[in-house]
Amino acid sequence: MDERNQTARERREQQHNRGLRFPRGPLGSRFGLLWIIIGLIVFYNVYALLRPDSSGPQPEVAYSSFVQAVERGFVSQATIAGQTVEGQFNQPLRIANGVVYFPDEPLPEAVAGSAVREVTRFRTVIPENTQPEVAQLLQEHGVLFSARASGGASLPSLLLSVLPFVFLIGLLVLLGRNLSRGQQNVFSFGRSRARVYDVERPQVTFADVAGEEEAKAELAQVVDFLKNPAKYHRIGARLPRGVLLIGPPGTGKTLLARAVAGEAGVPFFSVSASEFVEMFVGVGASRVRDLFERAKAQAPSIIFIDELDAVGRQRFAGLGVGNDEREQTLNQLLVEMDGFEAHTDVVVIAATNRPDVLDPALLRPGRFDRQVVVGLPDKRGRAAILRIHTRGIPIAPDVDLDALAAATPGFSGADLANLVNEAALVAARRGKEVVDRSDFEEALDKILLGTTRSLLMSEEERRLVAYHEAGHAVVAYFTPGSDPLRKISIVPRGRALGVTVQAPEEDRFNYTRNQLLGRLAVLLGGRAAEQLVFNEVTTGAQNDLKEATQLARRMVGLWGMSEELGPVYLGLGEQHVFLGREIVQDHSIGTTTLDRADQAVRRLLDEAMERAERILREHRAELDRLAELLIAEETVGPEKIREVLGEQPVATVDER
């Protein structure tokens, strides 16, 4: 697979190096040569008209002035063509209104001014049947003359006569092209904008996807059907029409769909659900029909619809009016997936991170009857993802990808790819040839904590921040079952003046009540330290209070962990997509119950505050030492934290 990707990449680079692309427009179109010819003709004729000694049209002179000029010896050469005589003076002469004024003649006052110009060439019309007399006149005065057949035209005159027709033809061609292009846009308005990935292009396979082994095993059946459809048709089996990939953003849903197409070797139609919806009603439905027709024509094939919730939301959910265009598009999608016409060789794969808002008709058997959960990878999956993303990057021997995977719980595949890229950027900025451990640590801090800011804080502010972060750290260190401390810093990062970082030793998918109560105490440890040391509170605890309140509301309203209400689900703390749901749910809960829930939330927060204050009073000496160390060094790692705080209590089974 790597060799195939490398070969395709080299082929693209060679084509790019030897290929010259001209800018689009008249010169780059098929009629570019026509426009060049027209431009040259216009330039030549303008130049011929403006040049004084050009061979273009000469000024007209009266026949009598021509005869006088010949008799006085001012004509050097002439050409007789029918009744026209063209020639050249042996010196510039003045001419006005067809009359030639010789050097020894004064100009009349009536013609003096702008009407007079000097010329060296002339043209005149002689009377009919006087060519012999004119020729004799020229011969008697020693003028070199010639004759040509009448009816001939000079090249400039010919070009001037043809130019309007050429320009008109070019204008008609241009207007025809614009008209045909406009008609094409009008007729293709309802066509699908799906991008087609051919089987001949470099493909993504399951080898390029890590951390989602269960999802890959589920999709392997789809791959086998697309490779060998006859095997399933013989026994009457029918593959699910649709496969819905559900998971948080960045977990690799789109990558999995492309891997299915790469493994199966079939055409892959990729489209975003938002591209179906337009301002005009019926356009989205037309695009859905066109997409499925194109997919059927190349069956077996795969249709991938990203962000399905953009078009598949529940019809008329919540308050307000519905969206006719989106609902018609959804109806057409429902018909195409399970209508009267069967198309068993077209598989629809869709991705969404909000399955709760989808219309129930989409999720019934016969449409998206398979739902594949693409969750966040575990520690082993994160290590495999890091190995994939570091394939083409020189990594130093001191980089432990397994340890890095353990330090990034909750990271998705996109987050890990960003981490590797940020580490490479840090190494390149430092002028290194390889990416070492310090580059990954700085990149991880930048992603988790934000970019460092150069704020000039006073000593009093630095002391406040140091005790605030030390309060979080001391409560976390002496709370059994709390996550280990990884770093404490009072360097401003992002919107925070200081940070206390905790990293679990292993992935957690379920939390006990005691662990959540300990988390509440850790969140309020900074505020408790401010009250204990300075007998004052600051605005620095805003985010801590917000997280603690949300956690307490979930404990009471979602997880039934309060003594006042017991094991009751109230839906408090949930994020509702539709306003109507929240209003209806609030009315389904009595005011007395809501008041008791508020009292339970307040009690949990008060008990967590008392617990944090008790721990800080018992370990006041450790709090002061850690705060002074932070003021001196600004950033403290896990080794120095253990050195300052001493032995950490071990959690018992009940506490966990």
Side-chain angles (χ1 to χ4, degrees):
M1 185 63 197
D2 294 338
E3 295 178 357
R4 184 173 61 182
N5 291 338
Q6 184 177 1
T7 303
R9 183 165 56 250
E10 293 175 354
R11 185 168 61 251
R12 289 195 299 269
E13 292 177 355
Q14 292 174 0
Q15 293 174 354
H16 176 74
N17 293 334
R18 67 169 180 263
L20 297 177
R21 301 191 60 172
F22 293 96
R24 298 183 63 86
L27 293 180
S29 64
R30 68 179 67 178
F31 298 98
L33 182 61
L34 175 63
W35 289 107
I36 293 175
I37 295 175
I38 293 175
L40 291 177
I41 293 175
V42 173
F43 175 77
Y44 177 81
N45 284 274
V46 171
Y47 177 75
L49 289 175
L50 297 179
R51 190 175 58 153
D53 294 332
S54 71
S55 59
Q58 296 85 0
E60 293 278 350
V61 299
Y63 177 69
S64 58
S65 295
F66 162 70
V67 173
Q68 292 180 7
V70 173
E71 292 176 346
R72 298 187 62 174
F74 285 101
V75 178
S76 60
Q77 61 181 8
T79 300
I80 303 175
Q83 289 184 255
T84 303
V85 177
E86 296 179 355
Q88 184 173 355
F89 298 123
N90 53 19
Q91 67 179 42
L93 297 180
R94 295 167 296 176
I95 183 174
N97 300 325
V99 180
V100 177
Y101 295 93
F102 301 101
D104 56 350
E105 294 180 354
L107 289 175
E109 296 181 358
V111 299
S114 60
V116 180
R117 58 173 176 162
E118 290 187 351
V119 297
T120 58
R121 301 183 64 84
F122 68 90
R123 180 179 181 274
T124 186
V125 179
I126 62 178
E128 190 174 359
N129 299 325
T130 59
Q131 289 86 348
E133 291 82 355
V134 172
Q136 185 178 0
L137 176 66
L138 295 173
Q139 186 176 7
E140 290 177 354
H141 292 84
V143 178
L144 181 63
F145 71 94
S146 61
R148 68 167 181 258
S150 62
S154 62
L155 178 62
S157 301
L158 181 62
L159 292 178
L160 282 176
S161 61
V162 175
L163 179 62
F165 298 99
V166 175
F167 181 76
L168 180 61
I169 293 174
L171 182 61
L172 292 176
V173 170
L174 181 62
L175 292 177
R177 288 184 62 205
N178 292 337
L179 181 60
S180 63
R181 185 182 304 169
Q183 291 177 349
Q184 183 179 4
N185 292 336
V186 170
F187 290 116
S188 65
F189 189 67
R191 298 199 59 184
S192 171
R193 301 177 182 177
R195 293 163 294 280
V196 183
Y197 296 90
D198 241 342
V199 295
E200 298 180 357
R201 297 183 58 180
Q203 300 292 337
V204 176
T205 64
F206 284 152
D208 301 309
V209 183
E212 300 297 339
E213 303 304 323
E214 296 81 5
K216 288 195 294 184
E218 187 79 14
L219 294 173
Q221 299 180 14
V222 179
V223 172
D224 187 51
F225 173 84
L226 293 173
K227 283 185 175 181
N228 308 298
K231 180 176 66 174
Y232 293 87
H233 292 328
R234 281 196 301 267
I235 62 175
R238 182 178 62 85
L239 190 76
R241 299 287 179 84
V243 179
L244 183 62
L245 304 179
I246 302 172
T251 51
K253 298 183 292 295
T254 304
L255 186 64
L256 271 173
R258 292 182 60 189
V260 171
E263 292 284 347
V266 298
F268 180 73
F269 295 83
S270 176
V271 65
S272 175
S274 61
E275 297 179 8
F276 289 125
V277 182
E278 288 286 352
M279 178 179 65
F280 303 103
V281 177
V283 175
S286 175
R287 289 179 178 174
V288 171
R289 287 192 298 269
D290 181 72
L291 173 61
F292 276 86
E293 289 175 0
R294 293 170 59 189
K296 295 174 196 175
Q298 300 188 37
S301 59
I302 295 176
I303 296 177
F304 175 65
I305 305 176
D306 199 8
E307 302 297 340
L308 181 64
D309 52 278
V311 71
R313 290 182 175 231
Q314 292 186 18
R315 289 164 286 188
F316 195 66
L319 300 180
V321 297
N323 188 320
D324 291 338
E325 162 63 3
R326 183 176 57 79
E327 292 182 2
Q328 284 198 18
T329 305
L330 174 59
N331 292 336
Q332 185 63 42
L333 181 61
L334 296 175
V335 171
E336 292 291 342
M337 292 192 66
D338 190 19
F340 288 102
E341 182 181 359
H343 47 88
T344 56
D345 292 343
V346 176
V347 177
V348 181
I349 301 178
T352 182
N353 50 20
R354 294 307 307 267
D356 55 317
V357 305
L358 295 180
D359 195 281
L362 273 175
L363 305 179
R364 74 161 179 82
R367 293 192 178 108
F368 287 107
D369 42 12
R370 279 202 182 181
Q371 300 182 18
V372 179
V373 178
V374 185
L376 296 173
D378 55 10
K379 178 181 176 181
R380 184 173 55 185
R382 291 194 298 271
I385 293 174
L386 287 173
R387 290 187 178 90
I388 289 179
H389 289 299
T390 55
R391 284 176 181 174
I393 298 178
I395 303 297
D398 63 343
V399 177
D400 187 356
L401 295 181
D402 293 328
L404 189 61
T408 53
F411 272 44
S412 64
D415 295 330
L416 295 173
N418 185 38
L419 172 62
V420 174
N421 184 63
E422 285 291 341
L425 292 176
V426 171
R429 188 166 60 248
R430 293 175 175 176
K432 298 180 180 179
E433 297 295 332
V434 295
V435 184
D436 56 22
R437 179 180 177 182
S438 62
D439 300 324
F440 277 100
E441 290 179 351
E442 181 174 342
L444 183 59
D445 289 341
K446 182 178 180 181
I447 293 174
L448 292 177
L449 310 177
T451 307
T452 58
R453 294 185 298 163
S454 57
L455 292 181
L456 298 177
M457 293 191 300
S458 63
E459 289 298 325
E460 181 180 358
E461 288 180 333
R462 294 179 76 249
R463 188 174 181 83
L464 278 170
V465 175
Y467 269 98
H468 182 98
E469 301 303 330
H472 286 303
V474 170
V475 175
Y477 194 82
F478 293 103
T479 297
S482 181
D483 293 332
L485 294 168
R486 190 175 72 87
K487 178 182 291 187
I488 311 171
S489 176
I490 61 171
V491 177
R493 287 179 175 270
R495 294 182 297 177
L497 298 178
V499 291
T500 300
V501 182
Q502 293 178 266
E505 296 178 347
E506 56 186 12
D507 294 337
R508 287 182 177 176
F509 305 99
N510 195 16
Y511 290 86
T512 65
R513 183 175 184 272
N514 286 331
Q515 289 173 342
L516 296 178
L517 292 175
R519 177 61 182 165
L520 285 177
V522 173
L523 288 172
L524 298 177
R527 169 60 65 89
E530 292 174 357
Q531 291 181 344
L532 178 63
V533 178
F534 303 100
N535 195 24
E536 185 61 278
V537 294
T538 67
T539 59
Q542 174 183 350
N543 190 60
D544 300 332
L545 297 176
K546 178 181 178 181
E547 290 189 17
T549 303
Q550 291 177 348
L551 178 58
R553 284 176 61 86
R554 293 191 183 99
M555 292 177 64
V556 173
L558 299 181
W559 304 323
M561 293 183 177
S562 65
E563 297 177 357
E564 288 83 354
L565 298 175
V568 177
Y569 175 83
L570 301 178
L572 301 179
E574 272 190 322
Q575 299 294 328
H576 297 288
V577 179
F578 301 118
L579 179 62
R581 288 183 179 178
E582 191 171 1
I583 293 177
V584 173
Q585 190 163 19
D586 287 345
H587 282 293
S588 64
I589 303 175
T591 56
T592 304
T593 303
L594 289 176
D595 291 340
R596 293 177 61 191
D598 290 338
Q599 295 174 4
V601 171
R602 180 59 184 270
R603 184 184 61 80
L604 289 176
L605 295 175
D606 290 341
E607 291 179 353
M609 190 69 176
E610 294 175 359
R611 182 178 182 181
E613 291 176 347
R614 183 178 68 253
I615 293 175
L616 292 178
R617 283 194 299 267
E618 294 175 356
H619 302 277
R620 176 61 188 271
E622 291 86 348
L623 174 66
D624 294 334
R625 288 200 302 268
L626 183 57
E628 295 298 332
L629 182 62
L630 284 172
I631 295 174
E633 299 187 6
E634 293 188 340
T635 301
V636 178
E639 294 80 7
K640 288 194 175 182
I641 293 175
R642 287 192 296 268
E643 181 182 344
V644 172
L645 299 184
E647 184 179 356
Q648 186 176 12
V650 179
T652 63
V653 177
D654 294 338
E655 290 172 331
R656 285 189 179 273

